[in-house]
Structures are given as structure tokens and as C-alpha cells.
Amino acid sequence: MRTEQTLVQNVSDLERVRREKMARLKRHGRDPFVITRYDQTHYSTGIIEDFENLEGSSVSVAGRIMLSRIMGRASFCTLRDMKGQIQIYVTRDDLGDEAYSEFRTWDCGDIVGARGKVFRTRTGEVTVHVSTLPLLVKFLTPLPNKFQGLRDPDRCYLQSYVDLITNERSRHTLLTRSEIIHQIRTYLYSLDFVEVETPVLVANAGGASARPFETHINSLGEDVNLRISLELYLKRLIIGGTDRVFEIGKVFRNEGVDTRHNPEFTLMELTEDLFRFLAEKNCGSTVITYAGTRIDFGKPFRRLTMIEAIRECTGIDFDTVPDDTRAKALAEENGIPCGPLDSRGTIIASFFDAFCEEKMIQPTFIMDHPIEISPLTKKKPGAPDRVERFELYINGWEMANAYSELNDPIDQRERFAAQDALALAGDDETQHTDEDFLHAMEIGIPPAGGIGCGIDRLVMLLTDSPAILDVLLFPTMRRLS
């Protein structure tokens, strides 16, 4: 049986051999780190996709050696670059005896440049017949997928740069995430939205109910927070006359980490159109599969009020629940935790979270939230205990949150006061009065709506990734010892 100690010893032996090879190259004046530039003309997939036009042409590619089949006078290698991988064909006649002998000592993981002509082998594989093959970088650590330590998922997440070398799915997810963000921008630009950047360090972290990260600006002698939402500054820009604005940026919430949350984060018709557009662009269809479940973006998204969803899932109709006392009794009867700060509205939200959220598999808009959990949202006409808000749920996840922006500064001040009272009573995730924002509202905010969408979950859904750690290059998690 091979023990972990044996594996570590073998890794150390391989590292020692590679370092000896590097030292030998340097002694012979061929430092593998001295080259500062290599003129690459094509990526791997570009050559394969355009073979008909490139056959017989000279190209230059660069990448890591991922696989070698070394033979007497001719060898094949697989090179991986940012776009994919391609085969190269190396012969002693083309390189010469000395260069070919040196090439035979190179290792998987070494980075090389390969210049030569494009052809197709007898087995049909597009290949570059190499005429020159400089070693650009010597890889000193053995490729990770061969050794026990790098099978550890935590190590793969923490060492994304290693995972990307050997894990094709990780590379594909990285490129897909970039493309999704590009498509979101393209879609919003087509509707005349203006992209902006708002402050990351703020005196008052408002716009959502979450505990902020706290820090200190030494030069100003001020305590500040990392933002938990983009909303309040985007509203300030609307007040300033910029009607359509958006920002793609991180928010920072000091909350738990699980498969759908990370402490960093990045209207109805528009939302539906955008999600349908992204599914078709990235998955080739408006019908996708996530973890074996078929999800249909092509059909009109279902629309339910929060109370309707609870009634459908539990049989309880909160339209017949008159007050906080009866709501708390229902919570106790149904095993919903309830404290002195809870009201009918917060209990409605708790019922939805407990009994409904995970059942929202197909795209569903949940509307008409209780006013108690929506302090920045306009009241619904004719129903002052509810607000004009919706959340989009897919696969049991909240994917987007949107509402009509409250633009009455008097009403907003009253709601901030209610939030301050909750904070004094011990709620450490409530919002606080923001005097600068109230002053801006008094200048006049036009009728507006806003939406926030979690890009991490969206990428998870469109790449069939099981955890948020799989779509983040450098996720926040406990460091390895």
C-alpha cells in the first residue's frame, strides 16, 4: 500500500529531478526563464476550427505540455493554452539531434512555444508539424492530479491556478462566466443603460439587511464599512438625472459561507428576457438541465404573490390572519422560530423561506412582499401592508430581487426609524438611518425601479456547477494549514 508519506517523498523526488534539469539548462546557457516575449499567432481552438483555411500554413502556438508520446525519431505532444488544446508533431529531422535530445528531457507542465505548419494526421487530428520548439518556462512542481494532496477539493478551490491547469471543466466555467458578464453588459447597453462605479467603502452600509464588514481609514481617522448593496448610490445617480444605470460589482456581506453564498458578491419583463437570452446564448437552448433537473426558460415565468405561494404549499392563508398575535401562534404551531421582534410580515417571510422557496424549481416571480422586510420599497396601492417588489426563484434559489423604489422621503425616514428601533432591540442585520441619502431623496428622486441579480448563482445554473466555489476563481474559505 502506498502511504501518504510515500507519495510526498515521490513528489519531492520529482521536484528535485526537475530542479536538476533546470540547473543543467542554465549551466549550458539555456535559461528556461530568460525569454521575455514569444510571438503567438493563434490559439489552439482557432486552428482547429479554421483548419480548411489554415492547412499547410505556418502558425505559432504556445502552451503547457499536457501529454507526451516520446518515440525514437518522432514524437507527439498535447499543448494546452487558454482556449483549449492542440497536438504538435516533433521530429529529430526538423529540430536537429541536439535540440531533439533536449526536448526528450522536458516534462509535462513545461511551457513551450511551437512554430510549424498545420496538417491533419491519418487519424484525423489537427496537428502542428513543428519546425522550432523553444522552452519558455520550466515547470518545477509535478502536475497536481497525479498526487493525493491535489485531490483535496479545498486545495483545488484555494489553488485555482493549479486546478485550471488540469481541470477542463474549471477552465470552461471561467470562460463562460466572463462571457455571461459580457452578455449582460451587451444586453443592458442595447437598452441605453449607463455603466457606473459606486463607492466600496461607505459610512453607512445600507440597501440590504446584512451584517457588514468593518474597517478603518487611517488617513481620515474614520470607521467605515464595506458596502452590502449597490442600491443607495445608484439611486443617488437617478436623482442626479441619469435615468438608466447599472453596476456589475462586488458586495460584501459578513454572513455564512455555504454552497450558494460567498461573503463577496458580484424588472419583470426585462429580467425574464435577460435570463432567457443568457440561457440561449450559453446553453444553446432556452431549456437547460441543472443537476439532472430540466429547467425551461422558454415558457412565460410563473407569477405568484408570497401569500399565494404559502397558501399553495401549506394550505395556510395569511389573508385571513388579522394580526401579529395570530401570526405568532401559527408560527409556533408549524415549528417556525419566532421572537419578540417578529411581526405578521416577518412571519409571512419566514413561512415562505421554510415551506416554499425550495419548491420554486421552474422560473417563478414571487411578488407583493410584506412591508416589514422591504424598507426601501414603495407601498402597493390599496394594500399598505405590502410593497411593489418581486424576487425571481429558479431551482429553489433566489436569483434576483427587484422593486419600485420608494421615493417619498417622509415615508423613508419613518421606515429607517423602524429599522433603527430593531437595531436597538438587538437585530444586527437591520438597516440604519442614512441622512445623506434622505437629503438626496428630498431633492427629488423620479419614479424608478431597480433589480439586483446574483451573478455567481447565475453562472452556477448555466454551467451546471454544484457549488458557488466552482464558479469563483479565488473563493473565500478557511486557509489550509
Side-chain angles (χ1 to χ4, degrees):
M1 178 181 293
R2 301 180 72 195
T3 66
E4 184 174 350
Q5 183 176 359
T6 302
L7 289 169
V8 170
Q9 182 63 47
N10 289 342
V11 172
S12 299
D13 289 345
L14 289 169
E15 288 178 349
R16 177 179 52 77
V17 169
R18 289 177 182 233
R19 290 177 184 274
E20 289 172 354
K21 290 179 180 180
M22 177 189 66
R24 186 164 57 249
L25 286 168
K26 289 184 175 182
R27 285 197 302 270
H28 289 84
R30 292 191 292 276
D31 188 336
F33 301 104
V34 76
I35 295 176
T36 58
R37 178 183 176 86
Y38 183 78
D39 293 324
Q40 179 180 353
T41 62
H42 293 78
Y43 283 110
S44 55
T45 52
I47 296 172
I48 295 168
E49 293 167 358
D50 198 28
F51 173 75
E52 291 185 2
N53 293 320
L54 290 175
E55 184 177 14
S57 300
S58 180
V59 299
S60 177
V61 295
R64 288 188 187 273
I65 299 175
M66 300 303 296
L67 178 67
S68 295
R69 299 188 298 281
I70 304 296
M71 295 173 278
R73 301 188 64 86
S75 301
F76 288 95
C77 294
T78 299
L79 295 191
R80 173 170 291 173
D81 59 21
M82 185 176 78
K83 300 290 187 179
Q85 59 187 36
I86 192 167
Q87 180 173 265
I88 63 172
Y89 177 59
V90 187
T91 71
R92 184 184 297 273
D93 291 342
D94 291 309
L95 292 189
D97 290 344
E98 184 178 0
Y100 188 76
S101 295
E102 183 178 293
F103 153 73
R104 286 166 60 95
T105 69
W106 295 350
D107 299 297
C108 285
D110 289 349
I111 300 176
V112 303
R115 183 180 299 277
K117 292 186 177 181
V118 179
F119 77 106
R120 193 187 293 275
T121 65
R122 284 178 295 182
T123 60
E125 186 165 357
V126 175
T127 304
V128 177
H129 187 152
V130 171
S131 57
T132 62
L133 189 69
L135 177 64
L136 304 180
V137 173
K138 183 66 186 168
F139 189 44
L140 300 180
T141 301
L143 285 175
N145 63 337
K146 296 181 179 180
F147 300 100
Q148 184 67 34
L150 274 299
R151 292 175 183 166
D152 178 359
D154 285 351
R155 191 172 296 276
C156 288
Y157 289 135
L158 287 168
Q159 297 179 355
S160 300
Y161 49 89
V162 172
D163 188 45
L164 288 167
I165 294 173
T166 56
N167 191 331
E168 173 64 20
R169 180 181 177 86
S170 295
R171 186 188 65 83
H172 172 73
T173 299
L174 179 153
L175 297 177
T176 301
R177 182 189 180 99
S178 176
E179 185 62 24
I180 288 171
I181 292 173
H182 171 73
Q183 290 160 1
I184 291 172
R185 283 193 167 99
T186 300
Y187 181 83
L188 293 175
Y189 286 152
S190 73
L191 298 176
D192 294 328
F193 278 81
V194 176
E195 185 171 8
V196 298
E197 293 183 4
T198 60
V200 173
L201 295 175
V202 295
N204 189 332
S209 297
R211 183 184 303 168
F213 288 96
E214 300 172 349
T215 187
H216 184 79
I217 300 178
N218 292 331
S219 61
L220 300 179
E222 291 184 359
D223 293 328
V224 292
N225 303 300
L226 292 174
R227 66 188 181 188
I228 60 173
S229 170
L230 310 175
E231 179 175 338
L232 298 187
Y233 280 93
L234 293 179
K235 284 183 177 180
R236 286 170 167 89
L237 295 176
I238 293 173
I239 291 168
T242 310
D243 293 344
R244 296 185 174 206
V245 293
F246 78 96
E247 180 174 6
I248 297 176
K250 295 287 188 183
V251 296
F252 306 87
R253 298 180 179 182
N254 197 357
E255 56 190 19
V257 177
D258 61 25
T259 60
R260 290 179 294 171
H261 290 85
N262 197 68
E264 301 176 345
F265 282 87
T266 343
L267 293 157
M268 210 166 292
E269 284 76 15
L270 181 149
T271 305
E272 187 167 338
D273 289 344
L274 174 61
F275 274 69
R276 190 171 291 127
F277 168 80
L278 293 172
E280 196 155 25
K281 278 283 187 180
N282 292 280
C283 304
S285 171
T286 57
V287 179
I288 72 168
T289 299
Y290 182 84
T293 299
R294 182 178 181 273
I295 297 175
D296 191 347
F297 289 92
K299 295 178 180 178
F301 292 5
R302 194 178 185 208
R303 302 183 182 190
L304 287 171
T305 68
M306 187 171 280
I307 286 178
E308 287 172 342
I310 295 170
R311 185 166 60 237
E312 184 176 284
C313 293
T314 68
I316 297 171
D317 186 356
F318 272 92
D319 278 336
T320 65
V321 177
D323 52 34
D324 295 350
T325 300
R326 178 57 186 143
K328 289 182 177 181
L330 278 172
E332 185 175 349
E333 292 167 13
N334 289 273
I336 299 296
C338 184
L341 300 181
D342 280 299
S343 64
R344 175 179 175 275
T346 62
I347 291 169
I348 288 173
S350 295
F351 263 79
F352 177 83
D353 293 344
F355 298 114
C356 306
E357 181 173 339
E358 65 181 16
K359 298 178 182 177
M360 304 290 130
I361 303 301
Q362 299 304 317
T364 304
F365 289 120
I366 297 298
M367 308 175 295
D368 296 2
H369 294 55
I371 193 170
E372 291 93 332
I373 64 168
S374 310
L376 300 169
T377 313
K378 274 192 174 183
K379 295 175 182 176
K380 186 176 180 66
D385 61 331
R386 305 177 196 179
V387 293
E388 293 183 344
R389 174 182 173 186
F390 71 80
E391 293 174 300
L392 174 61
Y393 286 87
I394 305 172
N395 193 50
W397 305 343
E398 178 197 330
M399 300 296 297
N401 181 25
Y403 45 79
S404 299
E405 308 291 354
L406 177 59
N407 59 354
D408 178 346
I410 306 302
D411 188 357
Q412 185 64 80
R413 182 174 291 279
E414 292 172 354
R415 297 211 214 166
F416 275 149
Q419 294 284 296
D420 288 337
L422 290 174
L424 288 173
D427 187 343
D428 59 2
E429 292 191 353
T430 191
Q431 300 189 50
H432 299 274
T433 298
D434 187 329
E435 290 294 347
D436 180 73
F437 177 64
L438 288 170
H439 175 68
M441 287 188 70
E442 289 168 355
I443 294 173
I445 179 171
I451 181 170
C453 173
I455 289 178
D456 296 336
R457 291 184 188 178
L458 177 58
V459 176
M460 284 176 64
L461 195 66
L462 296 181
T463 60
D464 197 10
S465 298
I468 201 168
L469 299 178
D470 295 313
V471 302
L472 299 174
L473 282 178
F474 301 101
T476 302
M477 57 189 299
R478 192 180 304 279
R479 309 306 301 177
L480 296 173
S481 58

